């Protein structure tokens, strides 16, 4: 493996398309978008970027763009149509071909086993609220480790357990569209148990590489230093970060959080007999998806809620310029607010580059010298293709300012091993549809998904070619 991985990332549902081809089963997203549960104006990922048929063209462009690693996910229902039991040989053959092609272009695969496309059959039996889903995940993971273990050396169990479950069971904007904190906690426990079970399987194998988890990381900053605010920050950190990371790297959930949660919720789903699996289920590396920070103040009043801007317009109700607005409330614990002086994207994500430095430092402080990959970092923009390219200077500035925070952390001893831009090319942005573009490469969704490199692709290529000298001059290494 090359010493530093510079790459970009995607996820199966968001880019593959071929939603019903070659034996693939249905996922919770396929079902949602093909049912009357989904509002009529919302687009779907049926074809997405058509990566399923165009992967070779995409890898060629990655190679020409200087990238040496690709983070992507396997579609669980493409490999196991019902989530357990029967294997789909065409799906397996597809991923073998894709990985072999990637390697031909000198690109190191970094595979995430679950990036939110839960098989529909499992969802019908309770999904992440049913412990059987954890066992099914371990079965699927074990199959993949055996089948692809020779060609894949970097594996992650889950993508963003916190954010995805928050959307599924908190804000209710992702299927199954539930707003219920009790159910959210239960699902969040089962997902972490699933990850630990998969890790237990992984440990039975030899020479199979490394297994990690990809977490959305939210460095938490208090509005002041008061005792009440320190408590709020601690609780926010536990919920947004430590629930996943302590469990994955220390072997169990943070006790202080469990004590607080027990005052409001029924935690009887946490079983003593699972402890040994968690204990033995710790992981080798962490993937951090960094988009923004969490600005925290003490809880004031009202029930728990979370707001997400899926509209694509500024001031869509989440934020009001110059005013403090609550974006997330966890009753009796904390409130996440929008900094009235912050800079925000069109979708109300705060732009805060220093947070990526604070995030990797925080991970090192809590978990020691763990290898860290920045597995996603990027900005969603409204964009137009002009003269076969896109002048995305806002993305270049975003990437440059975030990447620039990393060499300092590296010099201070943090084991940052790689960086992946979200995303390799334009793809489907969940319920934001196709208007929110993240790619280094423009995809013309209306015209056979033709690809056009953006200015950021060219910038990234030049940066990768020169980064050693650049940082040697700047940071002396
Ligand atoms: C992360 C997900 C990705 C991707 C990205 C951008 O949370 O892992 O799948 O979608 O965020 O988010 P969005 O598309 O909602 O803007």
């Amino acid at each position: 493996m090359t010493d530093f991985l510079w790459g970009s990332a995607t996820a199966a549902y968001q880019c593959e398309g071929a939603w019903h081809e070659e034996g693939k089963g249905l996922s919770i997203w396929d079902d949602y978008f093909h049912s009357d549960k989904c509002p009529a104006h919302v687009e779907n990922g049926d074809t997405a970027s058509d990566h399923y048929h165009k992967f070779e063209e995409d890898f060629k462009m990655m190679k020409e763009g200087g990238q040496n690693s690709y983070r992507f996910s396997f579609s669980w229902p493409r490999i196991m149509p019902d989530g357990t039991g029967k294997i789909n040989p065409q799906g397996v053959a597809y991923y073998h071909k894709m990985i072999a092609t990637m390697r031909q272009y000198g690109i190191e695969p970094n595979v995430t086993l679950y990036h939110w496309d839960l098989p529909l059959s499992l969802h019908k039996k309770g999904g992440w609220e049913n412990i059987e889903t954890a066992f099914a995940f371990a079965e699927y993971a074990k199959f993949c480790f055996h089948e692809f273990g020779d060609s894949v050396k970097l594996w992650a169990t889950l993508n963003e357990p916190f954010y995805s479950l928050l959307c599924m069971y908190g804000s209710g904007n992702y299927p199954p569209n539930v707003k219920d904190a009790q159910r959210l906690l239960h699902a969040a426990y089962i997902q972490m148990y699933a990850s630990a079970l998969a890790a237990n399987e992984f440990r039975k194998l030899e020479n199979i590489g490394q297994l990690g988890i990809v977490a959305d990381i939210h460095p938490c900053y208090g509005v002041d230093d008061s005792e009440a605010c320190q408590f709020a920050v601690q609780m926010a950190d536990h919920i947004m970060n430590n629930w996943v990371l302590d469990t994955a790297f220390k072997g169990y959930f943070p006790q202080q959080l469990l004590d607080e949660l027990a005052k409001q919720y029924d935690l009887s789903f946490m079983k003593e007999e699972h402890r040994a699996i968690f204990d033995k289920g710790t992981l080798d590396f962490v993937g951090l998806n960094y988009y923004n920070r969490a600005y925290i103040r003490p809880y004031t009043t009202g029930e728990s809620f979370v707001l997400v801007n899926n509209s694509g317009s500024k001031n869509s109700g989440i934020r009001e310029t110059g005013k403090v607005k609550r974006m997330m409330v966890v009753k009796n614990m904390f409130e996440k607010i929008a900094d009235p002086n912050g800079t925000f994207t069109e979708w109300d994500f705060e732009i805060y580059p220093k947070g990526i430095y604070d995030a990797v430092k925080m991970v090192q402080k809590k978990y020691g010298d763990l290898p860290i990959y920045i597995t996603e970092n990027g900005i969603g923009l409204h964009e137009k293709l002009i003269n076969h390219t896109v002048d995305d200077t806002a993305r270049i500035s975003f990437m440059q300012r975030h990447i620039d925070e990393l060499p300092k952390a590296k010099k201070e001893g943090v084991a940052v091993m790689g960086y992946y831009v979200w995303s390799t090319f334009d793809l489907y942005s969940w319920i934001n549809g196709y208007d929110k573009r993240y790619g280094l490469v423009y995809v013309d969704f209306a015209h056979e998904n033709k690809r056009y490199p953006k200015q950021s692709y060219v910038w990234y290529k030049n940066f990768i070619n020169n980064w050693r000298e650049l940082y040697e001059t700047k940071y002396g290494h």
Side-chain angles (χ1 to χ4, degrees):
M1 213 186 288
T2 31
D3 56 351
F4 195 89
L5 299 182
W6 289 109
S8 53
T10 65
Y13 184 76
Q14 295 179 270
C15 71
E16 282 182 0
W19 73 289
H20 218 4
E21 274 179 48
E22 301 195 325
K24 177 181 165 292
L26 298 183
S27 78
I28 187 172
W29 289 91
D30 297 314
D31 176 59
Y32 177 62
F33 291 125
H34 288 270
S35 75
D36 52 15
K37 288 171 249 167
C38 167
H41 66 277
V42 177
E43 297 158 303
N44 62 47
D46 285 4
T47 308
S49 323
D50 201 20
H51 185 55
Y52 192 80
H53 301 108
K54 289 180 180 269
F55 63 81
E56 178 149 15
E57 182 182 344
D58 292 327
F59 299 150
K60 195 162 175 266
M61 285 179 97
M62 288 182 78
K63 164 87 179 156
E64 282 166 10
Q67 298 173 47
N68 60 11
S69 186
Y70 180 46
R71 175 180 172 242
F72 64 105
S73 73
F74 284 168
S75 158
W76 184 353
R78 195 178 292 290
I79 291 177
M80 275 185 179
D82 293 320
T84 176
K86 200 171 62 57
I87 298 293
N88 171 29
Q90 288 169 292
V92 173
Y94 164 70
Y95 287 119
H96 274 303
K97 198 166 151 210
M98 188 176 145
I99 293 166
T101 310
M102 194 178 312
R103 286 213 172 275
Q104 270 169 27
Y105 286 96
I107 296 167
E108 183 73 33
N110 182 340
V111 173
T112 299
L113 288 165
Y114 171 76
H115 198 131
W116 308 356
D117 42 1
L118 180 68
L120 180 61
S121 313
L122 296 178
H123 169 62
K124 284 186 174 160
K125 290 182 229 150
W128 289 114
E129 294 170 272
N130 182 349
I131 196 91
E132 291 300 323
T133 298
F135 296 122
F137 179 73
E139 179 194 338
Y140 155 65
K142 181 180 171 186
F143 172 80
C144 293
F145 299 150
H146 280 271
E147 183 69 32
F148 299 99
D150 285 345
S151 50
V152 175
K153 297 299 164 202
L154 283 173
W155 295 92
T157 53
L158 309 172
N159 178 70
E160 298 196 359
F162 169 73
Y163 185 70
S164 59
L165 291 167
L166 187 75
C167 291
M168 293 167 85
Y169 291 94
S171 59
N173 60 332
Y174 287 4
N177 311 98
V178 173
K179 290 185 185 190
D180 184 328
Q182 176 66 47
R183 291 177 64 183
L184 167 57
L185 275 174
H186 188 191
Y189 176 79
I190 291 183
Q191 262 204 9
M192 292 313 297
Y193 187 59
S195 174
L197 281 170
N200 277 258
E201 291 300 335
F202 196 79
R203 297 290 169 237
K204 293 178 191 160
L205 302 164
E206 277 173 18
N207 298 326
I208 186 180
Q210 294 193 318
L211 181 67
I213 191 166
V214 172
D216 42 312
I217 192 81
H218 307 269
C220 298
Y221 306 80
V223 294
D224 60 43
D225 273 345
S226 65
E227 222 173 279
C229 200
Q230 284 178 33
F231 172 79
V233 167
Q234 181 64 73
M235 288 300 121
D237 189 33
H238 278 326
I239 288 190
M240 297 182 190
N241 302 315
N242 304 341
W243 180 273
V244 171
L245 297 180
D246 276 19
T247 310
F249 298 103
K250 291 183 174 170
Y252 210 56
F253 303 90
Q255 191 56 48
Q256 187 191 12
L257 176 62
L258 297 183
D259 293 344
E260 287 300 323
L261 288 173
K263 294 177 189 166
Q264 299 187 61
Y265 302 102
D266 173 11
L267 302 183
S268 58
F269 52 77
M270 303 181 85
K271 305 280 184 225
E272 199 45 43
E273 66 257 31
H274 296 158
R275 281 299 285 255
I277 294 292
F278 281 115
D279 206 39
K280 284 188 283 165
T282 55
L283 301 168
D284 308 314
F285 73 86
V286 65
L288 300 179
N289 291 356
Y290 178 73
Y291 287 90
N292 50 33
R293 65 163 174 165
Y295 195 45
I296 302 296
R297 74 177 188 190
Y299 168 75
T300 55
T301 174
E303 294 303 316
S304 300
F305 69 83
V306 52
L307 294 179
V308 186
N309 178 0
N310 296 126
S311 74
S313 52
K314 279 198 186 253
N315 299 333
S316 58
I318 286 213
R319 252 174 357 93
E320 286 170 59
T321 313
K323 281 195 188 157
V324 171
K325 187 89 184 172
R326 300 191 301 172
M327 299 171 102
M328 179 176 172
V329 169
V330 177
K331 195 174 178 181
N332 298 327
M333 292 194 187
F334 69 90
E335 296 182 356
K336 179 185 167 193
I337 59 168
D339 181 349
N341 302 313
T343 313
F344 291 79
T345 72
E346 305 245 336
W347 281 265
D348 298 310
F349 281 24
E350 187 179 3
I351 300 177
Y352 194 77
K354 183 176 170 289
I356 201 168
Y357 169 83
D358 292 336
V360 296
K361 292 287 281 189
M362 171 180 94
V363 165
Q364 187 200 38
K365 195 167 160 209
K366 286 184 192 167
Y367 310 106
D369 291 331
L370 201 58
I372 299 175
Y373 296 88
I374 303 298
T375 32
E376 287 182 30
N377 177 233
I379 182 169
L381 299 167
H382 288 287
E383 292 175 324
K384 278 208 170 70
L385 185 69
I386 297 170
N387 295 331
H388 301 286
T389 188
V390 175
D391 182 6
D392 55 345
T393 37
R395 178 168 297 106
I396 294 172
S397 149
F398 183 95
M399 286 166 64
Q400 187 156 31
R401 292 174 65 205
H402 283 79
I403 293 174
D404 241 6
E405 294 287 333
L406 297 175
K408 187 153 82 88
K410 252 176 101 60
K411 188 151 197 227
E412 290 164 3
V414 184
V416 185
M417 316 288 285
Y419 173 93
Y420 297 83
V421 182
W422 183 268
S423 50
T424 312
F425 42 77
D426 290 337
L427 37 68
Y428 182 64
S429 169
W430 305 108
I431 42 184
N432 299 302
Y434 292 96
D435 263 2
K436 190 178 188 183
R437 292 175 181 267
Y438 278 93
L440 294 170
V441 172
Y442 185 92
V443 175
D444 189 348
F445 296 110
H447 297 97
E448 293 159 3
N449 296 298
K450 279 192 79 168
R451 270 75 166 146
Y452 301 90
K454 299 181 191 175
Q455 295 299 310
S456 56
Y457 168 94
V458 179
W459 176 85
Y460 195 39
K461 174 184 171 147
N462 290 333
F463 170 79
I464 295 169
N465 281 335
N466 296 316
W467 72 278
R468 282 182 197 282
E469 289 144 50
L470 275 174
Y471 288 142
E472 212 158 278
T473 324
K474 206 162 168 186
Y475 298 97
H477 72 103

